[in-house]
Every structure is written in C-alpha cells, then in structure tokens.
Amino acid sequence: MQLRAVVSLFTVLCLLRLSRQQPMKTVSAKRVTVGMIEDIKKQIDHIMEEVNLLKEKQALHTVCFRGMKVDNKCYLPMIGVKTFHMASDDCILHGGTLGWAKDEEENQALFEYARQKVGENRNIWIGVMDMMMEGTWVDMTGTLVNYTNWETLASQQPDGGTKENCVALSGLANGKWLDEPCHLQYNYFCQFNIL
C-alpha cells in the first residue's frame, strides 16, 4: 500500500515537472502530454518490476535462513518423504528444483546437512536421473552432469539399468550416490539459486 502511494506521488511530481518545463500550446501540447504520461507509466512499470525482483531476492535469502547456503545456492530440507517425481514437483511448486551437488565439496556439505536434518541412515533424492537415455545422467533441466559420486565398493553403482533411473544420496554409504527406482519414497532437499 505504501509503495502504491509512493508511485502515485512520483507520477504527480513528474507530471508537474514536465508541465513546468514545456509551456502548453494547442492540440500538439495535449499529444505531447499524453506521450509523456505513457512514458511515465512505462517507467513506473519498470520500477515495479525491479521492486518485485528485489522482493524475490529477499524471499530467497529469508528461505535460506532455514536452509543451508553453498555458493549461490540454498538447500532447504522439505518435510516428509515422496517419490522422485512428487519431490521434484514439490520443489518446482516452491520455486526451486530438486537439489544436487555439482562437486565433491557440495556433495559432502549436503550429506552432512542431510544427516543433521533427516537422520544418519536416510537416503535423499537428488536432482539427477537417466530417464531420457539409459546411462546418460542429467540434472532436472536436462543438462549432462559433470560430477558423480557413485557408490562403487559394495554395489558397483549405477547398477539398476532401466528399472532404476533416479538418484539418491545414501546415508548408509556416506553420501555416495545410488540409482534407485523412482517410485520409492525418500526425503529430499529443494535447491534455490540465490541471485
């Protein structure tokens, strides 16, 4: 409400300033005034867009007070367990994506954070899958992943073929990755990019 009052006051002041700068003449002065009003409306719309972007940035920083920051990302643990697809949809609904680590440092931080938030021996879904093409692991945007952390000592992951297309970070395997059937229900983290 206060923002709307400020914008209205700004508009009036701009109109007053413009009317003092250019003396009113005949019909052409009315056309110029209408054009100036349209320009002011465009400027106000631009200002409103910037205000909304600032609100979004503030909201992301607020969300991250409850989550974990790594670089320009915020990981937020979500309540309950879901299938891979339901977890992904829930993250999108909240304005993020199903989180995953892009390097060893992030993976270790996510593993430690998962141990604190969801328990020591729990698996959590991460945003990596090979549903499009077997053996080609991509993130939620379809981009090929450059970092993987497969569990290879006990079970030689990935080992599920076309029956296991979704990836979970394993609590029992110290943060190593497992390919799992997507219908299993695990905990999950949503990832939000902080601008």
Side-chain angles (χ1 to χ4, degrees):
M1 201 57 147
Q2 292 176 350
L3 182 61
R4 185 168 280 169
V6 169
V7 169
S8 296
L9 179 61
F10 176 74
T11 304
V12 169
L13 290 174
C14 287
L15 286 173
L16 285 173
R17 183 173 154 237
L18 289 172
S19 67
R20 288 183 184 159
Q21 287 178 351
Q22 295 183 358
M24 292 289 193
K25 293 185 181 170
T26 58
V27 176
S28 64
K30 287 182 183 178
R31 284 188 208 134
V32 169
T33 304
V34 170
M36 286 189 269
I37 290 172
E38 291 300 318
D39 288 342
I40 291 170
K41 284 181 182 178
K42 287 178 186 175
Q43 290 175 0
I44 290 171
D45 288 342
H46 180 72
I47 291 169
M48 292 303 292
E49 286 176 20
E50 288 180 5
V51 167
N52 288 332
L53 283 174
L54 288 171
K55 285 180 184 179
E56 286 178 27
K57 286 180 184 179
Q58 181 62 37
L60 283 174
H61 286 286
T62 302
V63 163
C64 220
F65 286 135
R66 298 179 312 162
M68 175 187 70
K69 269 187 199 178
V70 178
D71 293 325
N72 289 333
K73 293 185 279 188
C74 174
Y75 293 102
L76 183 66
M78 304 308 281
I79 297 172
V81 294
K82 294 189 184 303
T83 67
F84 181 87
H85 298 293
M86 290 174 65
S88 177
D89 289 346
D90 191 46
C91 288
I92 291 168
L93 181 69
H94 285 90
T97 59
L98 198 54
W100 71 282
K102 292 191 172 129
D103 59 37
E104 180 63 33
E105 184 179 333
E106 269 186 45
N107 195 79
Q108 191 59 33
L110 188 57
F111 169 65
E112 293 297 329
Y113 191 59
R115 288 179 55 193
Q116 294 171 11
K117 294 296 180 181
V118 299
E120 295 222 1
N121 298 324
R122 297 280 184 100
N123 291 344
I124 63 167
W125 287 124
I126 60 174
V128 177
M129 61 183 168
D130 74 341
M131 287 178 227
M132 308 279 187
M133 181 182 290
E134 181 60 30
T136 301
W137 298 96
V138 297
D139 67 12
M140 301 309 291
T141 66
T143 304
L144 190 65
V145 296
N146 295 322
Y147 166 79
T148 60
N149 191 34
W150 298 112
E151 197 292 310
T152 57
L153 295 177
S155 60
Q156 295 298 312
Q157 296 289 320
D159 66 352
T162 58
K163 294 179 183 174
E164 297 179 358
N165 293 318
C166 299
V167 179
L169 185 139
S170 173
L172 288 172
N174 294 320
K176 296 292 185 180
W177 295 5
L178 309 173
D179 66 332
E180 296 282 274
C182 301
H183 68 274
L184 296 179
Q185 294 195 7
Y186 291 144
N187 294 96
Y188 60 102
F189 287 89
C190 293
Q191 172 183 311
F192 302 89
N193 292 327
I194 302 172
L195 307 173

